[in-house]
Amino acid sequence: MGDVLAGFHAAWEFESDSVRIRYERGIRTPKLFQTLGERLVPLAALESVTVTPGKRGTVVLRAQPRPGADPLLEAAAGQLKDGSDPYRLVLPAERATLAEYYADELRPLLTASGPAEKFLVAAPEAPRQFKAYDGKASFDGAAVHFRWSWTGASTAKWKAGDQRFAVADLGGVEWRSPEVFEGHLRLLRRDLAGAAAPVPADQDPATVVFGLGYGPVHESLPFAAAVLEAVRARGAAAVPAPTGRRDPADIAERIRHLGELHQAGLVTDEEFSAKKAELLAEL
């Protein structure tokens, strides 16, 4: 096709076998888009495209990637808000007909479906780094480094010392958005695959903890995606989700900490009730 469709914060260029998405760098553009800059999405990575009404007089053209095709979305695991979805192009409502036209042009070209056998969209390139609440994380393409902060790191992490994890020793990553309670980035070590229960994030030397202003989405998610792509490129098997129950004493301690956050006004009544119920369910 070769046409360009410009919307709010991004423009899509339609090529014969791909869609090139260029994100704006304006002050109102979501920071994640500014970090991504530009992405080349092969049509083989997409399984559908839709046009739906948006908010406040807009229409949304959205491409749906196949499961496993994009390391960014694999790392995000469904936690991205609509405003930060890199596959949504928001347009003025009067351009709905044009959006439908391009959707109709794309649909016959999307012949692949189901999970992709490998990543088809490139992750943000290394090196990458960001500041977490309890330390600084960096990735040079071969290994992840955690350097602990004396003001935020737990005693357990200080005792363990600064950490280095080679890509070859990892089976994946676990990213929990900094926009929710207990956000963190956990490296899933191959030698601990199938462990009975995960160590709490603030005690685990393979995890950095997020917080207000620490580990923002536009820094920590591209970081997680870059690590995940490097791990998959080395053929590392995915680490199965840990099973088993936590220590009751650990649950009690985390509920106590949650109560302190609630009393300080940092957690809403709804968040407190929901998280407390989730912790109790692990007993």
Side-chain angles (χ1 to χ4, degrees):
M1 289 178 278
D3 294 345
V4 176
L5 181 61
F8 299 116
H9 311 314
W12 288 14
E13 181 178 351
F14 301 95
E15 302 177 1
S16 60
D17 59 354
S18 61
V19 177
R20 187 177 298 275
I21 304 177
R22 295 188 173 92
Y23 302 99
E24 294 180 357
R25 296 189 178 277
I27 191 171
R28 295 184 178 180
T29 301
K31 289 184 178 180
L32 178 60
F33 292 1
Q34 296 184 48
T35 298
L36 296 176
E38 179 179 314
R39 307 194 84 203
L40 181 64
V41 182
L43 298 184
L46 304 175
E47 64 180 11
S48 65
V49 60
T50 59
V51 178
T52 57
K55 298 179 180 179
R56 296 184 293 275
T58 62
V59 64
V60 178
L61 174 64
R62 186 180 189 278
Q64 176 63 50
R66 297 167 58 196
D70 185 346
L72 190 81
L73 294 195
E74 286 295 296
Q79 299 173 78
L80 280 179
K81 296 180 178 179
D82 284 349
S84 297
D85 184 346
Y87 288 91
R88 294 174 81 249
L89 182 64
V90 182
L91 304 147
E94 57 266 24
R95 307 190 75 185
T97 301
L98 190 59
E100 289 284 6
Y101 165 78
Y102 283 108
D104 288 341
E105 290 289 304
L106 276 177
R107 288 184 182 111
L109 303 178
L110 306 183
T111 57
S113 62
E117 295 182 357
K118 62 179 181 179
F119 290 140
L120 301 173
V121 182
E125 295 181 356
R128 307 205 69 84
Q129 64 180 22
F130 69 90
K131 188 175 182 181
Y133 174 75
D134 56 359
K136 181 179 180 181
S138 60
F139 177 53
D140 59 12
V144 178
H145 301 259
F146 290 161
R147 183 176 181 181
W148 305 122
S149 165
W150 68 271
T151 58
S154 64
T155 301
K157 290 183 178 179
W158 269 113
K159 287 183 177 179
D162 294 343
Q163 300 290 301
R164 178 186 184 277
F165 301 92
V167 168
D169 296 331
L170 301 177
V173 299
E174 176 187 86
W175 182 79
R176 292 292 177 266
S177 175
E179 298 175 346
V180 300
F181 181 67
E182 291 192 331
H184 62 262
L185 172 66
R186 188 190 303 271
L187 303 177
L188 304 179
R189 295 165 50 187
R190 299 179 66 187
D191 60 335
L192 296 181
V199 177
D202 61 343
Q203 303 295 312
D204 184 2
T207 304
V208 287
V209 177
F210 303 149
L212 186 62
Y214 294 95
V217 172
H218 71 281
E219 294 180 356
S220 61
L221 179 57
F223 184 105
V227 174
L228 183 59
E229 183 181 57
V231 169
R232 296 282 179 86
R234 291 190 64 99
V239 173
T243 58
R245 298 184 181 274
R246 285 188 180 179
D247 183 350
D250 174 54
I251 295 293
E253 174 61 22
R254 299 190 74 76
I255 291 177
R256 183 194 64 76
H257 177 59
L258 180 63
E260 292 176 350
L261 294 176
H262 181 232
Q263 291 179 357
L266 299 176
V267 174
T268 66
D269 293 344
E270 293 79 8
E271 290 173 331
F272 173 75
S273 298
K275 187 59 184 179
K276 181 178 178 181
E278 179 183 324
L279 289 170
L280 290 173
E282 297 182 23
L283 289 173

